[in-house]
Each structure stands twice: as C-alpha cells, then as structure tokens.
C-alpha cells in the first residue's frame, strides 16, 4: 500500500471515530425469570418427596394471576372468605406482574385494558368498583394520554398504527374494503368480549387468517403487515397460525372508542394492586403447587412445604401443568402456547429525534418485535428525561417448541444486541440513552387461537371440566386477554361455590 493509501486510511479512521460515539457505554441488566427451572423439576417428577406441614382451607385457588385474583374477587362479593390463593412467584399478578425502579413502575407483560364495550358487564362492574368508571364515564387520568400510537415506516414516524406513508391507491382501497368487512362482522353481534357468551360456531375458525385474507383477495403488503401485527400482538402467532375467527375478533369485537385504552405506568399491574388491596390476606406467595389429589370428600393440594386439605379447588394456573401434578388430568394437549420475551429498558434520556412526539405505544414496521411502550407516558410532567420502555417480542416465526429452545439458549448479551439493533432502526442513538436492560422470558406465555381450536369439542370440554376442582386460566378461552381471564375466574368461583 502506498504512503498516500496509509494516510487516507488513517484519516478515514479518524473521521469514522469522530462519527462513532466517544465511549460505548456500559449497559447493566439481567434475565430475571427462573420459574422454568422449578417448572422443569415439576415436569420431571422431582418435586414429589419431602415432609409437608398440614394446613386446612375450605377452598384453594391455585395461581394468583388475573383469573385467580378475579375468582377471589367474586368469592368475596358472595361473602365467602375461607379461601387461600397459592401463587408460585414471590409476587402475584402472573402475566400482569409489574416492576418498579428509581425511574418508574413498569409492566412485565400486560400493559392495557381496552375501554370495555357497553355489553362487557363483568369488566365494567370491576371498573366501577375500582373507581375507573363513574356514571358511565371513564376517569380521565386512567385513559391513555395522547399521542397513543405511532409507526416507524419508511424511515419516519407517522401517527397511528395503520400504515399511511407510501401506500398506493390499491392499498388504500384494500384497507377500506377490509374495514367494511370488519364492520359487517361486528354488526353480526357475535364478536363479544368475553367471546364465548356471544359466539356461534363458525366455519371461519377452521381456516387460518392468512387463508381468509387470500380468499378475500387481500394482497396489499401494508394491509397484510397490519393484520400480521394484530395476530402477533394479541396472540403471539402469525396469521397463518391463527384462526380466521380469532383474527376477525381482534378487529371486530371492540366498539369504536375515540378514547382509551386504560393504562398505567405499571400496566395491568395497577389492577392487580387494587385487587390485592382486598385479597392480600388470602394470598400465599412463593407457594408452588406440586401435586393435587381429588378424593370423594375433598382435594389435597401439595406445595413444596404444605399439605393443604380442602373441599374444592380452582385451578387458575396454566392448564397444561395439570398433567404433571395429578392423576386423571383432563386432556390439555390441544392448547398451543406462544413463547414471548419482554425487556424493560431504563433510559437516562429519551433519544433525540425530529418530528413526532413519543407516543405511548411505538411500533417499527419492519421488525419481528412489536415495538415499545413508554412507562412514563402517563406522567403529567411536561419534560421527561429518564424513562423506562417495555419492549415486546413474541417468537412467532418459529414453532413454539423451537421458540422455547431459543429462549433458553440465548443469553442476556445476545438479547441486548438484538433489542438495541431492533430499536436502533428507529433511534440511532439508543445505545447512548440506555443504562439498563432487564429481561423476562415466558415459555408458555399465552394460549394461541390456532385454526380449529376455538370451536373444537376438546376446548369446550376443557372449559366445562371438573367437579371438586374446576379450571379458570384464560387459556381455556384460546384468547389471552384480561377480560377472558376475569370471565374464567369469576365463572370458576360461581361453579365451585355450588360444590363447596
Ligand atoms: C407479553 C404479554 C403481554 C400481554 N399484554 C396484555 C395486555 O396488554 N392486555 C391484556 O388484556 N392482556 C395481555 N396479555 C394477556 C394476559 O395473559 C392476560 O391479560 C392475563 O393476565 C392472564 O391471566 P391468567 O390468570 O389467566 O394467567 P397467568 O397470568 O398466566 O396466571 C397464572 C398464575 O399461576 C401461577 N402458577 C403457575 N404454576 C403454578 C403452580 N404450580 N403453583 C402455583 N401457582 C402457579 C403463575 O405464577 C401465575 O401467577 C399479555 C400477555 C403476555 C404474555
């Protein structure tokens, strides 16, 4: 190489160094979940031995997620107080758990409740009791502040999640036709929330959302992205792996609301906190149920340290675990669970950006992830420096078993790079803003409405299964949303009260 060549190389390097950040900042963080370790020991039958202290409770609820807590809520309303809620984690809430640090509270998974439809009586009843709904109006400060959503498309942010930039006339026509079809479906009245009370068996359930789009001649890449996003967002699955009935439900089940959704810095953890104000004395945290035995006169429920004697049990933990804890468990093999990972990023400052304001929900068009939600969005401060962002990623592109393998195989550093590269598509200075990234992996995060599952006899039988023990987890619905968890929990409480 000539001397000139060396010189120009050196000056080019100096130039590049000027462009690069002065110091690659150190980012702290950890993978915070470890329940799969205990779960795998349970699966492998390694949690059966050992002495346990005898305890008694007329009614035991297993699992302190929304379903278990709402079962407890209904029991208290009915004046029944003799029950315990056994929760394996240190903190109740399940998929509606939250965290808190020096900057903000933040969700680990569920982060909003859509403004309930007028017909969604149960959820409106809870909203009224929690002071969210008063004389038909939702409390302003709990409704998502504006701007709610934005999309990073073709190198810039646009308001709202429906793509607008770069669409051709044909794309726009397809969006209009799609909206018209969804209105027709909504007018049929059978897409209710929760879904089972309103639904009639439908041939749509036997095909995938992807096939339905194709059958209707929808080929606009923007529209298909929009529908894919909906399936990944609510079900953790691609349109090809989602029942068309469930895909339509996502778009047709909600009354049009200009306001909302209801959200809080800690996401649906806020609702958990309010429920715990009533239920905390009933909750036994850190109590993983390892065995259940149903007898003629009662049910024994074993944790690692206690042997509970009860007259009845509400199983509000994920249904697939039943096969590992009891003889004669119902067949849950038809439920497909989507694996997810979420991350909470603590930021010293918001990235510098031109154009639109930060929204509550910020989505990147060309990303396998779902973007990030800003925990400090509901803050009334006019200037936000530090913040916490919750980033969401369903491992939808691979089969669920492969997704779970990937969750276990990839370490924190791998995910840090993946997350920063993903967010970096929209925020080039993200690495200079973040000081911490914590991760939570959910191997069996949510039941997926796979084609054929919603209206299958197997799912219906599971929802009705039981005697002294009844099931309550939202996975019985095939759709994993707050309203389904509440519906299943309340229904289980009413059924078990007839037995106990
Ligand atoms: C990433 C993600 C984002 C989501 N976002 C939203 C959202 O924004 N809005 C929304 O409405 N829904 C959302 N959901 C759906 C969410 O699953 C439901 O809203 C709801 O929280 C589910 O409640 P659940 O009680 O049915 O189940 P879970 O939350 O799974 O609760 C089950 C509980 O059982 C416990 N448990 C398990 N095994 C045992 C055992 N052996 N012994 C004792 N306890 C046990 C678990 O620790 C857990 O607390 C999201 C889900 C995920 C995964």
């Amino acid at each position: 190489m000539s001397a000139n060549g060396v010189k120009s190389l050196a000056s080019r390097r100096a130039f590049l160094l000027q462009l690069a950040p002065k110091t690659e900042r150190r980012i702290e963080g950890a993978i915070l979940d470890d329940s799969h370790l205990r779960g795998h020991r349970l699966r492998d039958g390694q949690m059966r031995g050992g002495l346990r202290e005898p305890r008694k409770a007329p009614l035991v609820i297993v699992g302190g997620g929304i379903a278990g807590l709402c079962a407890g809520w209904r029991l208290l309303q009915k004046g029944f107080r003799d029950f315990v809620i056994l929760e394996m984690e240190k903190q109740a809430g399940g998929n509606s758990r939250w965290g808190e640090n020096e900057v903000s509270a933040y969700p680990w998974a569920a982060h909003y409740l859509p403004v309930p439809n007028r017909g969604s009586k149960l959820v409106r009843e809870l909203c009224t009791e929690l002071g969210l709904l008063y004389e038909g109006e939702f409390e302003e400060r709990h409704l998502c502040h504006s701007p709610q959503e934005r999309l990073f498309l073709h190198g810039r942010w646009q308001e709202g999640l429906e793509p607008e930039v770069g669409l051709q006339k044909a794309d726009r026509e397809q969006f209009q036709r799609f909206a018209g079809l969804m209105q027709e479906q909504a007018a049929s009245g059978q897409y209710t929330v929760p879904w089972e009370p309103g639904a009639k068996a439908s041939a749509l359930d036997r095909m995938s959302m992807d096939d339905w789009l194709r059958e209707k001649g929808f080929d606009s890449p923007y529209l298909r992205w929009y529908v894919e996003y909906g399936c990944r967002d609510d079900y953790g699955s691609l349109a090809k792996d989602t029942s068309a009935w469930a895909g339509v439900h996502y778009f047709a089940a909600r009354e049009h609301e200009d306001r909302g959704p209801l959200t809080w810095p800690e996401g649906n953890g806020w609702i958990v906190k309010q429920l715990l104000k009533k239920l905390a004395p009933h909750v036994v945290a850190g109590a993983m149920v390892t065995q259940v035995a149903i007898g003629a006169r009662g049910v024994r429920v074993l944790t690692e340290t206690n042997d509970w004697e009860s007259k009845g049990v509400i199983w509000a933990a994920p249904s697939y675990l039943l096969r590992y804890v009891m003889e004669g468990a119902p067949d849950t093999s038809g439920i497909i669970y989507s694996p997810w990972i979420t991350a909470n990023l603590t930021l010293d400052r918001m990235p510098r950006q031109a154009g639109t304001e930060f929204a509550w929900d910020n989505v990147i068009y060309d990303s396998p992830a779902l973007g990030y939600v800003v925990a400090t969005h509901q803050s009334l401060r006019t200037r936000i420096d530090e913040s916490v962002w919750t980033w969401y990623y369903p491992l939808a592109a691979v089969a669920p078993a492969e997704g779970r393998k990937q969750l276990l195989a990839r370490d924190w550093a791998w995910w840090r790079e993946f997350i920063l590269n993903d967010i970096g598509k929209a925020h080039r200075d993200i690495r200079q803003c973040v000081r911490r990234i914590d991760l939570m992996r959910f191997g069996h995060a949510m039941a997926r409405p796979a084609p054929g599952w919603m209206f299958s006899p197997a799912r219906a039988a599971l929802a009705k299964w039981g005697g002294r023990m009844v099931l309550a987890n939202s996975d019985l619905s095939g759709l994993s949303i707050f309203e389904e968890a509440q519906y299943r929990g309340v229904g289980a409480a009413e059924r078990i009260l007839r037995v106990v």
Side-chain angles (χ1 to χ4, degrees):
M1 188 182 286
S2 71
N4 254 351
V6 172
K7 198 169 153 215
S8 67
L9 198 66
S11 57
R12 188 173 142 71
R13 199 163 160 265
F15 173 69
L16 284 176
L17 277 173
Q18 266 173 19
L19 283 186
K22 296 229 167 37
T23 49
E24 180 74 13
R25 73 169 297 179
R26 193 177 156 76
I27 298 173
E28 308 282 341
I31 295 180
L32 298 184
D33 58 280
D34 60 2
S35 53
H36 65 283
L37 298 174
R38 284 192 289 160
H40 291 172
R41 282 176 56 218
L42 181 70
R43 179 193 64 190
D44 301 337
Q46 292 168 6
M47 288 188 135
R48 301 216 152 194
L51 274 180
R52 290 161 166 98
E53 194 191 326
R55 304 284 299 269
K56 275 190 184 179
L59 180 56
V60 170
I61 300 174
V62 182
I66 294 296
L69 294 174
C70 286
W73 172 67
R74 185 53 118 214
L75 293 175
L76 291 183
Q77 281 182 329
K78 297 269 180 188
F80 187 94
R81 309 195 149 266
D82 285 340
F83 64 91
V84 289
I85 301 178
L86 305 180
E87 167 53 48
M88 69 179 268
E89 301 289 349
K90 287 187 216 91
Q91 184 196 21
N95 285 347
S96 300
R97 281 202 308 283
W98 73 99
E100 285 183 39
N101 66 13
E102 63 287 3
V103 176
S104 177
Y106 48 81
W108 274 117
H111 47 294
Y112 72 97
L113 177 66
V115 168
N117 291 350
R118 274 181 293 274
S120 297
K121 291 215 171 67
L122 214 47
V123 67
R124 288 180 91 91
E125 185 186 335
L126 180 66
C127 286
T128 306
E129 198 177 307
L130 301 186
L132 297 170
L133 178 60
Y134 181 70
E135 293 185 346
E137 295 291 323
F138 282 89
E139 262 283 339
E140 191 78 27
R141 73 198 152 101
H142 301 294
L143 290 166
C144 184
H145 299 171
S146 186
Q148 294 169 5
E149 296 164 331
R150 62 177 187 164
L151 177 67
F152 190 75
L153 172 61
H154 301 314
R156 61 179 236 225
W157 289 103
Q158 60 145 75
E159 225 180 278
L161 294 188
E162 193 177 308
E164 279 174 3
V165 181
L167 274 69
Q168 305 293 313
K169 190 163 164 265
D171 298 308
R172 290 186 200 287
E173 280 167 4
Q174 289 200 18
F175 267 98
Q176 264 176 13
R177 190 157 63 83
F178 181 79
L181 283 176
M182 290 305 124
Q183 266 169 19
E184 267 173 37
Q185 293 284 351
S188 76
Q190 57 160 323
Y191 294 92
T192 54
V193 186
W195 71 269
E196 210 167 7
K200 294 191 200 91
S202 164
L204 278 186
D205 185 46
R206 291 197 292 275
M207 70 197 303
S208 75
M209 191 61 185
D210 195 51
D211 286 341
W212 183 85
L213 287 173
R214 202 166 305 127
E215 191 186 279
K216 296 284 176 209
F218 289 117
D219 57 5
S220 156
Y222 297 100
L223 178 71
R224 291 186 79 98
W225 173 86
Y226 188 57
V227 176
E228 277 294 353
Y229 171 82
C231 294
R232 289 187 298 127
D233 184 43
D234 249 27
Y235 311 136
S237 51
L238 300 181
K240 74 176 176 53
D241 301 318
T242 304
S243 145
W245 190 88
V248 170
H249 187 276
Y250 179 86
F251 294 99
R254 306 281 179 189
E255 279 160 16
H256 180 70
E257 268 290 342
D258 294 333
R259 316 288 312 279
L262 294 154
T263 189
W264 306 268
E266 63 274 62
N268 292 7
W270 185 88
I271 306 178
V272 174
K273 282 182 184 169
Q274 310 311 308
L275 287 170
L276 284 176
K277 284 183 188 163
K278 299 166 204 286
L279 290 163
H282 299 267
V283 177
V284 183
M288 179 182 190
V289 170
T290 56
Q291 238 176 302
V292 174
I294 306 176
R297 305 176 66 187
V299 189
R300 277 179 68 202
V301 180
L302 271 57
T303 67
E304 286 156 285
T305 52
N306 290 118
D307 181 345
W308 291 88
E309 189 188 317
S310 73
K311 292 201 163 40
V313 170
I314 295 177
W315 183 269
S319 304
Y320 76 95
L321 292 171
L322 287 167
R323 74 186 84 136
Y324 305 121
V325 298
M326 67 183 283
E327 303 280 333
D331 180 9
T332 57
S333 59
I335 311 180
I336 298 173
Y337 293 87
S338 302
W340 282 67
I341 183 166
T342 61
N344 271 300
L345 289 77
T346 308
L347 285 80
D348 288 337
R349 65 164 174 85
M350 297 297 249
R352 299 204 172 90
Q353 56 168 16
T356 62
E357 266 176 86
F358 281 92
W360 166 68
D361 191 10
N362 304 266
V363 176
I364 299 169
Y365 183 78
D366 270 329
S367 162
L370 297 171
Y372 62 90
V373 166
V374 178
T376 46
H377 184 76
Q378 294 297 91
S379 163
L380 295 177
R381 278 183 295 156
T382 45
R383 202 191 125 109
I384 306 248
D385 295 321
E386 293 183 306
S387 188
V388 179
W389 291 4
T390 314
W391 173 89
Y392 290 86
Y393 180 48
L395 284 83
V398 292
E402 174 57 24
R404 285 189 268 281
K405 267 194 215 154
Q406 292 183 1
L407 279 184
L408 290 181
R410 291 168 177 170
D411 63 5
W412 178 82
W414 191 94
W415 285 111
R416 178 197 59 205
E417 287 311 297
F418 185 80
I419 294 165
L420 292 174
N421 288 338
D422 180 55
I423 298 179
K425 288 174 202 152
H427 301 292
R428 288 165 70 181
D429 58 342
I430 187 69
R431 284 169 194 269
Q432 280 76 64
C433 306
V434 175
R435 68 166 177 263
R436 193 172 174 90
I437 302 179
D438 290 315
L439 304 175
M440 190 77 82
R441 298 167 302 179
F442 302 82
H444 296 79
M446 53 167 65
R448 173 184 285 195
W453 178 242
M454 306 286 293
F455 292 97
S456 68
R459 197 206 56 76
L462 208 50
K464 286 198 202 106
W465 183 88
R468 282 199 176 276
M469 176 159 139
V470 296
L471 311 184
N473 192 271
S474 56
D475 59 13
L476 301 173
S477 289
L479 307 181
S480 180
I481 50 175
F482 177 89
E483 298 90 328
E484 297 293 344
Q486 186 202 24
Y487 172 69
R488 297 291 161 191
V490 166
E494 287 171 357
R495 278 175 72 200
I496 206 74
L497 279 179
R498 286 179 227 133
V499 178
V500 182

